[in-house]
Amino acid sequence: RCRFFCDNLQEWEPKKSYYSLIWIQWVLSYLTDDDIIALLRRCAAALDDGLIVLKENVCTESDFQVDLQDASVTRSLRYWLYLIGQAGLRVLHWKWQSNLPEDLYPVPILALTLK
């Protein structure tokens, strides 16, 4: 079974201890650091011995890059790891997304679990 939610991520309250997998892909670049940490904490509380999979583009030249055209922030992998730790999560496994066009930012796929 799979459910997709179209909702305001800053306020989304997933059911506690309910999900085996929460997949978050290419949406967090529009949230503040505090909103990301709060969302990841809510997602962690919603896991029933499961995982959060996080896929976001990462920059490599600095901790973050702001795109004023679309009001997004591309964070570095190191910065993502900091935010993940602040949310009380750890990376269980990760790998780079393959077969993407060369002109895109790299995309790590991070499997997260509780610390």
Side-chain angles (χ1 to χ4, degrees), residues 28-115:
L28 299 182
S29 62
Y30 297 97
L31 297 183
T32 67
D33 290 355
D34 289 342
D35 286 335
I36 289 169
I37 292 167
L39 173 66
L40 290 176
R41 286 178 178 163
R42 291 192 305 275
C43 289
L47 292 177
D48 182 22
D49 195 32
L51 297 172
I52 299 168
V53 174
L54 176 62
K55 284 180 68 172
E56 290 289 336
N57 298 60
V58 296
C59 56
T60 55
E61 291 82 36
S62 60
D63 280 340
F64 60 90
Q65 294 178 345
V66 178
D67 184 336
L68 297 177
Q69 296 283 330
D70 73 353
S72 67
V73 177
T74 302
R75 295 163 174 89
S76 67
L77 179 57
R78 181 177 66 156
Y79 200 82
W80 274 112
L81 296 175
Y82 166 76
L83 294 175
I84 289 165
Q86 291 298 301
L89 296 166
R90 66 179 176 89
V91 177
L92 181 65
H93 182 74
W94 73 280
K95 67 179 263 178
W96 291 105
Q97 174 76 47
S98 58
N99 302 319
L100 291 175
E102 289 185 21
D103 59 336
L104 291 180
Y105 286 112
V107 179
I109 305 165
L110 307 166
L112 310 178
T113 189
L114 297 172
K115 280 189 176 178

